[in-house]
Amino acid sequence: MAQPKQERAEQTRRALLTAAAEVFDEFGYAGASITRILKRAGVTAGALYFHFGSKEDLAKAVMNSQPETLVPLLAAGGLQRLIDLTLVWSWQLQRDPLLRAGVRLTNEQASINGTLNADPYENFRGIMVGCLHEALESGELQPGVDPVVVAEFVVAACTGMQMYSNVVSGRSDLPERTQQMWNLILPGLAVPSVITRAETSPARGSALMP
Amino acid sequence: MAQPKQERAEQTRRALLTAAAEVFDEFGYAGASITRILKRAGVTAGALYFHFGSKEDLAKAVMNSQPETLVPLLAAGGLQRLIDLTLVWSWQLQRDPLLRAGVRLTNEQASINGTLNADPYENFRGIMVGCLHEALESGELQPGVDPVVVAEFVVAACTGMQMYSNVVSGRSDLPERTQQMWNLILPGLAVPSVITRAETSPARGSALMP
């Protein structure tokens, strides 16, 4: 029986997104040619322009798919959910081209269209604010801690940690650095009982992965 | 009386470094032409190649001059010295082209020569490790806090904060974000008396500036 049309279109879209991520990850935005992306995906130029209007739109789709690949892996709620997000991210960044390309494109984005685009940060920020509001309502946060301030700091710190880790270890020490971040910031934001039970080890991130 | 030869050479070198920083800051590495840098500096191509072997060497000199512009402004010792470094940096990044170009080039460096260069991070890291060792010897740190781990985290967090702040506010909120970082991490690293007396307000960074 033939595949339904919609299912085939979705498969083509995923193939294009994955191929584009691999090529952007390897060559950067400027060095990524449409021809190479099409060859890698095994699809026609027509299919590309049907799903994505341009190379720029394709890059935006790659950047915006960063958090959605991680959320289904999160097991806990509240503050532990936020910790899990960063632990899983620190592992997945080493092996998921879609996530890695998203990071590279975010860093390079000033050269894509001359204007800076906050979307990739905002997507992560939104998920983190959600976790922290849940933490606040469950009494996990110290009085006066602002979920938005914490979420924006964690987004920023993770951005910088992956850059630093990439330069010094090709990102292999990122899970350990993520744990060190939590050891440093938990005492400033969580109540003592939550600090005691929080699990921040790289092994937890690894165990949550698919 | 004529200027001594050495003094003139140093003036030319500074003029080239400043002009290159302005052009790198505005156009990025790929977009910065030697011609434009020479015109801005008002010097000859011979002078450029006498002081800096190539555009790549000029970019490296700009990247490596990041911390040396800040250190003379620091007033305190120990942990407050580290806090002051980040506060002054958060202000200077908004107005010093040399510092701003260093940051842009560091972000872009993968495209400069294909290999990643840890020097700009290492320079800041070295200064921070020095402050934290002094803090450790003065009893300012909690037991078990590793100066190297903290220094590397602060370098990474500042890197990410300036990127995030650049996207959302053109870096105008960076001093406030720097204060928020210290509010979050001081409880995890300093002894209570140091947390109480630490000055982290943006106004302090502004007061230390030239």
Side-chain angles (χ1 to χ4, degrees):
Chain A
M1 208 176 85
Q3 268 185 317
K5 235 181 184 172
Q6 207 182 334
E7 197 177 306
R8 277 203 319 267
E10 180 51 30
Q11 271 181 3
T12 303
R13 192 183 179 279
R14 290 299 305 177
L16 273 164
L17 208 58
T18 306
E22 288 169 5
V23 175
F24 284 136
D25 178 37
E26 193 171 345
F27 301 97
Y29 183 78
S33 78
I34 292 284
T35 312
R36 200 187 294 264
I37 294 170
L38 293 177
K39 202 175 159 191
R40 183 94 48 124
V43 306
T44 63
L48 188 146
Y49 291 108
F50 172 76
H51 287 284
F52 304 96
S54 62
K55 179 172 153 184
E56 189 180 326
D57 285 347
L58 193 49
K60 280 185 183 162
V62 168
M63 282 198 278
N64 289 332
S65 70
Q66 287 185 60
E68 75 189 35
T69 66
L70 299 177
V71 170
L73 308 174
L74 307 180
L79 202 52
Q80 186 64 53
R81 187 177 182 81
L82 173 56
I83 295 168
D84 286 353
L85 175 64
T86 62
L87 290 174
V88 169
W89 162 87
S90 72
W91 282 104
Q92 283 290 69
L93 201 50
Q94 294 175 62
R95 44 173 243 175
D96 181 350
L98 202 59
L99 206 54
R100 226 166 35 224
V103 166
R104 176 160 185 173
L105 290 171
T106 303
N107 293 348
E108 287 181 358
Q109 66 182 339
S111 64
I112 293 179
N113 52 14
T115 60
L116 294 167
N117 167 13
D119 290 350
Y121 295 117
E122 290 307 308
N123 292 343
F124 273 112
R125 176 184 176 278
I127 298 169
M128 291 185 183
V129 168
C131 299
L132 285 155
H133 269 296
E134 200 182 296
L136 181 69
E137 281 156 23
S138 315
E140 296 185 336
L141 302 186
Q142 289 171 26
V145 169
D146 181 338
V148 171
V149 166
V150 175
E152 293 189 357
F153 178 70
V154 173
V155 168
C158 286
T159 300
M161 281 195 304
Q162 65 79 15
M163 291 181 71
Y164 190 94
S165 169
N166 191 33
V167 170
V168 298
S169 78
R171 295 210 182 99
S172 67
D173 66 11
L174 187 56
E176 201 190 343
R177 288 181 190 278
T178 303
Q179 177 175 33
Q180 290 164 347
M181 172 184 77
W182 287 113
N183 289 347
L184 270 171
I185 69 176
L186 280 176
L189 70 94
V191 297
S193 63
V194 172
I195 298 175
T196 309
R197 71 167 186 262
E199 293 183 50
T200 63
S201 85
R204 179 172 170 90
S206 165
L208 289 170
M209 294 213 311
Chain B
M1 207 174 86
Q3 267 186 316
K5 233 180 184 173
Q6 208 182 334
E7 198 176 305
R8 279 204 317 268
E10 180 51 31
Q11 272 182 2
T12 304
R13 191 181 180 281
R14 290 300 303 178
L16 273 164
L17 208 58
T18 306
E22 287 169 5
V23 175
F24 285 135
D25 178 37
E26 194 171 344
F27 301 98
Y29 183 79
S33 79
I34 292 285
T35 313
R36 200 187 293 265
I37 294 170
L38 293 176
K39 201 175 160 191
R40 183 96 46 126
V43 306
T44 63
L48 187 146
Y49 292 108
F50 172 76
H51 288 283
F52 305 96
S54 62
K55 180 173 155 185
E56 189 180 325
D57 285 347
L58 194 49
K60 280 185 183 161
V62 169
M63 281 198 278
N64 289 333
S65 70
Q66 285 185 61
E68 76 189 34
T69 66
L70 299 176
V71 170
L73 307 174
L74 308 180
L79 201 54
Q80 186 64 52
R81 187 175 183 82
L82 173 57
I83 295 168
D84 286 353
L85 175 63
T86 61
L87 290 175
V88 169
W89 162 87
S90 73
W91 282 104
Q92 283 290 69
L93 202 50
Q94 294 175 63
R95 44 174 241 173
D96 181 351
L98 202 59
L99 206 55
R100 228 167 33 225
V103 166
R104 176 159 185 174
L105 290 172
T106 303
N107 292 349
E108 286 182 0
Q109 65 181 342
S111 63
I112 292 181
N113 53 13
T115 60
L116 294 168
N117 167 15
D119 290 350
Y121 295 117
E122 290 308 307
N123 293 344
F124 274 112
R125 176 184 176 277
I127 298 168
M128 292 185 183
V129 168
C131 299
L132 285 156
H133 269 295
E134 200 182 296
L136 182 68
E137 281 156 25
S138 314
E140 295 184 339
L141 303 186
Q142 290 171 26
V145 169
D146 180 339
V148 172
V149 166
V150 176
E152 294 189 357
F153 179 71
V154 173
V155 168
C158 286
T159 300
M161 279 194 306
Q162 65 79 14
M163 292 181 70
Y164 190 94
S165 169
N166 191 33
V167 170
V168 299
S169 78
R171 296 209 180 101
S172 67
D173 67 11
L174 188 56
E176 201 190 343
R177 289 182 190 276
T178 303
Q179 177 175 33
Q180 290 164 346
M181 173 183 77
W182 287 112
N183 290 346
L184 270 171
I185 69 176
L186 280 176
L189 69 95
V191 297
S193 63
V194 172
I195 298 175
T196 309
R197 71 167 186 261
E199 293 182 50
T200 62
S201 86
R204 178 169 171 93
S206 166
L208 290 170
M209 294 214 311

